[in-house]
Amino acid sequence: MTTAQDWIDGARPRTLWTSVSPVAVGSAAAGALGAFRPLPALLALVVGLALQIASNYANDYADGVRGTDVNRVGPSRLVASGRARPSVVKRAAYIASGIGALAGLALCAVSGQWWLIVVGGLAIPAAWAYTATSNPYGYRGWGEAVVWIFFGPVALLGTMFTQAGTITWWAVVASASVGLYAVALLMVNNIRDIEGDALAGKRTLAVRLGDHRVRRLFAFVVLAPVAGAILVGLAMPWAMLGALLALPSLIVAVTVWVGASGVALKPVFLGLSAMGMAYGILLTIGIALG
């Protein structure tokens, strides 16, 4: 029998900050222009969390029925471990998608930005197509790019636009930086699972680039948000608070660069989660302070 804790674990709560951070920073950016609106902010948060959870359940379902989670090093999944039937996990993904779609429609109505339906029309299929289609982009090395787009610019700038009706250059830089932390989280998972994914036929970015090159790219992805915070700070000086993560970012980058693998990457994953949350908080506070 699937327990409530199983469903919580299946939603991957340690990664959900990747939906919260862009909404928080985007709302702070709108507030910096004197345009913060709590209802659109709340609806944007529901959209982000619902679609991320939908994607996580869809990924669990798809990898489970394909058998590609058998050789994974990380936490066990609902379907692969036998804790839930595939059809039930698939239904949970549909329900989460429906919640996200309804919240998205409400956000369009409240903000008056009905063209955002087009964005939602791309975001929902993207949540499923990562692994839950016959030709998943996550198996072709495009996962990181799509994650950056939707957890960075789309989420942050979309949140800002639904409240302020405009975006700024420094918000664009902030969106790129916030999205990179979500990319880093996916990358460390794919670096950890590189051998198992290769055996299962999953051509993730890590598999395509190879162990050596993907670790170098990871270092850039982890360190770039520090530079991003400094750039945002040119317009919003307090945003340079994000640069406080320079040292932990360097430590994480070096740890992966020198070859940490398998279970040795678990502390890196946990550290990245803490850093990503901290970066979002610091950037939110910094932009709010101006």
Side-chain angles (χ1 to χ4, degrees):
M1 180 177 177
T2 312
T3 67
Q5 188 60 51
D6 288 333
W7 287 112
I8 292 172
D9 292 342
R12 307 177 194 176
R14 289 178 178 172
T15 68
L16 296 182
W17 59 266
T18 58
S19 287
V20 177
S21 287
V23 173
V25 177
S27 295
L33 302 181
F36 172 68
R37 298 172 61 194
L39 183 55
L42 178 61
L43 290 171
L45 180 61
V46 174
V47 171
L49 287 172
L51 293 186
Q52 184 179 0
I53 290 171
S55 181
N56 288 342
Y57 284 148
N59 172 242
D60 192 306
Y61 158 76
D63 282 353
V65 296
R66 285 193 179 97
T68 54
D69 269 345
V70 173
N71 296 310
R72 65 178 282 108
V73 179
S76 63
R77 300 303 185 206
L78 290 170
V79 174
S81 66
R83 288 179 292 161
R85 297 194 306 274
S87 60
V88 178
V89 176
K90 187 177 183 180
R91 189 181 309 128
Y94 279 132
I95 292 171
S97 296
I99 293 171
L102 290 174
L105 288 173
L107 179 59
C108 290
V110 168
S111 66
Q113 305 294 341
W114 287 100
W115 62 271
L116 287 173
I117 289 178
V118 176
V119 178
L122 295 172
I124 293 175
W128 280 84
Y130 177 60
T131 55
T133 63
S134 59
N135 190 25
Y137 64 82
Y139 286 15
R140 303 198 311 274
W142 289 101
E144 285 80 357
V146 175
V147 162
W148 178 78
I149 290 169
F150 283 101
F151 286 90
V154 169
L156 195 153
L157 299 179
T159 297
M160 183 182 186
F161 196 84
T162 55
Q163 297 176 48
T166 188
I167 59 175
T168 60
W169 71 265
W170 49 265
V172 174
V173 175
S175 73
S177 301
V178 168
L180 285 175
Y181 271 111
V183 170
L185 206 62
L186 177 59
M187 287 186 75
V188 77
N189 274 340
N190 287 342
I191 291 171
R192 179 196 64 199
D193 296 335
I194 190 168
E195 293 182 5
D197 286 345
L199 289 172
K202 293 174 66 173
R203 299 285 294 171
T204 63
L205 184 64
V207 173
R208 291 172 69 91
L209 290 180
D211 189 73
H212 178 78
R213 287 190 294 174
V214 77
R215 290 176 185 273
R216 273 56 183 167
L217 178 60
F218 174 83
F220 168 79
V221 168
V222 170
L223 292 171
V226 175
I230 294 171
L231 286 175
V232 175
L234 297 177
M236 296 287 169
W238 280 101
M240 289 192 186
L241 285 170
L244 291 174
L245 291 173
L247 181 58
S249 295
L250 182 61
I251 292 172
V252 166
V254 170
T255 300
V256 174
W257 183 292
V258 299
S261 61
V263 294
L265 286 172
K266 182 177 180 180
V268 174
F269 179 88
L270 296 176
L272 271 176
S273 291
M275 287 164 53
M277 286 189 290
Y279 188 81
I281 292 169
L282 291 172
L283 214 55
T284 299
I285 294 172
I287 292 174
L289 292 175

